[in-house]
Amino acid sequence: EAQVTQNPRYLITVTGKKLTVTCSQNMNHEYMSWYRQDPGLGLRQIYYSMNVEVTDKGDVPEGYKVSRKEKRNFPLILESPSPNQTSLYFCASSLGPRDYEQYFGPGTRLTVT
Amino acid sequence: QKEVEQDPGPLSVPEGAIVSLNCTYSNSAFQYFMWYRQYSRKGPELLMYTYSSGNKEDGRFTAQVDKSSKYISLFIRDSQPSDSATYLCAMTPIPTDSWGKLQFGAGTQVVVTP
């Protein structure tokens, strides 16, 4: 089954404790992206990657890191999480240029206390 | 000011009614317009997309784009309880440096009551 998977689905952590949210897709997509979704603000792009080793900042990159060492994986790293990073996070992928259908993962609900 | 504005709702309608959703935007460079549907506790999924101005119909769904007014709409005819979800509009310019970079609205929650 073609899908985007994220782990963990739910995470409660404390301020300053480094964490990684994994994202994997099995569709051989070039493009991958991370979003956060907050009430009233909708989906905002954090980082995106156009291919292996090619990443760029989205609209809200502060406090986040990403890497793309393999085509299928695109982990999101929070080096020192803060309470304002409490949010619902989505990973998405799409085939390539001019393909605007993004396939979203099921989401990771992160709470930072 | 956000580039894409969308009323968050909730919008409650009886089964069988027409659901009317809309978004306004400020960036005249937007050329591709999409509607995503998001069920509770799920990721968004693409419902429809249109390029530039005009209408597009797919079953019970109709998407309209009015670029002169910077206004897009989604209509759902004969609404069903299974249409209860959050609907997000999204848009992007013709791909150059902004390839794949979608701007989303905040989403409108729709509740269709039996």
Side-chain angles (χ1 to χ4, degrees):
Chain A
E1 180 189 355
Q3 60 182 345
V4 178
T5 57
Q6 293 178 229
N7 281 292
R9 293 289 313 277
Y10 302 90
L11 180 59
I12 301 174
T13 190
V14 296
T15 299
K17 185 175 182 181
K18 181 180 178 179
L19 65 92
T20 299
V21 184
T22 65
C23 172
S24 184
Q25 51 92 5
N26 62 1
M27 296 169 278
N28 201 35
H29 284 172
E30 287 185 5
Y31 178 88
M32 298 185 74
S33 182
W34 275 103
Y35 295 88
R36 59 177 291 173
Q37 187 174 38
D38 302 288
L41 297 177
L43 284 163
R44 293 180 293 167
Q45 191 177 52
I46 303 170
Y47 269 94
Y48 64 97
S49 169
M50 290 178 280
N51 215 323
V52 175
E53 303 290 6
V54 182
T55 63
D56 205 351
K57 297 176 181 178
D59 297 320
V60 288
E62 294 78 21
Y64 304 95
K65 283 177 57 178
V66 293
S67 68
R68 185 96 181 269
K69 298 191 187 311
E70 303 169 282
K71 197 172 186 179
R72 62 183 292 130
N73 296 324
F74 190 43
L76 179 69
I77 303 157
L78 285 73
E79 295 268 1
S80 183
S82 62
N84 65 11
Q85 293 178 299
T86 292
S87 187
L88 180 59
Y89 291 86
F90 288 101
C91 180
S93 71
S94 63
L95 187 60
R98 296 184 173 78
D99 184 350
Y100 293 100
E101 178 169 10
Q102 296 199 18
Y103 294 79
F104 283 81
T108 295
R109 185 164 292 281
L110 172 65
T111 302
V112 183
T113 60
Chain B
Q1 185 183 355
K2 298 179 197 174
E3 280 193 290
V4 181
E5 297 280 357
Q6 184 176 9
D7 188 329
L11 179 63
S12 184
V13 300
E15 183 176 356
I18 294 176
V19 176
S20 175
L21 304 166
N22 58 74
C23 289
T24 59
Y25 62 95
S26 57
N27 188 346
S28 58
F30 289 143
Q31 297 284 351
Y32 288 87
F33 303 91
M34 287 142 278
W35 287 95
Y36 280 78
R37 178 175 62 194
Q38 184 177 16
Y39 289 115
S40 181
R41 303 183 192 283
K42 301 283 188 182
E45 56 181 352
L46 183 66
L47 193 59
M48 294 184 71
Y49 78 91
T50 55
Y51 170 66
S52 195
S53 287
N55 295 356
K56 186 173 184 179
E57 190 171 317
D58 184 1
R60 296 185 295 112
F61 299 88
T62 299
Q64 292 183 350
V65 175
D66 181 350
K67 290 186 66 183
S68 62
S69 302
K70 296 189 178 69
Y71 187 90
I72 69 171
S73 302
L74 177 70
F75 300 96
I76 307 173
R77 291 184 299 281
D78 187 25
S79 57
Q80 305 295 311
S82 58
D83 295 325
S84 297
T86 297
Y87 292 81
L88 301 100
C89 62
M91 48 199 79
T92 187
I94 288 178
T96 53
D97 293 337
S98 57
W99 177 77
K101 198 166 166 54
L102 296 179
Q103 291 293 333
F104 283 86
T108 300
Q109 184 186 1
V110 172
V111 179
V112 181
T113 55

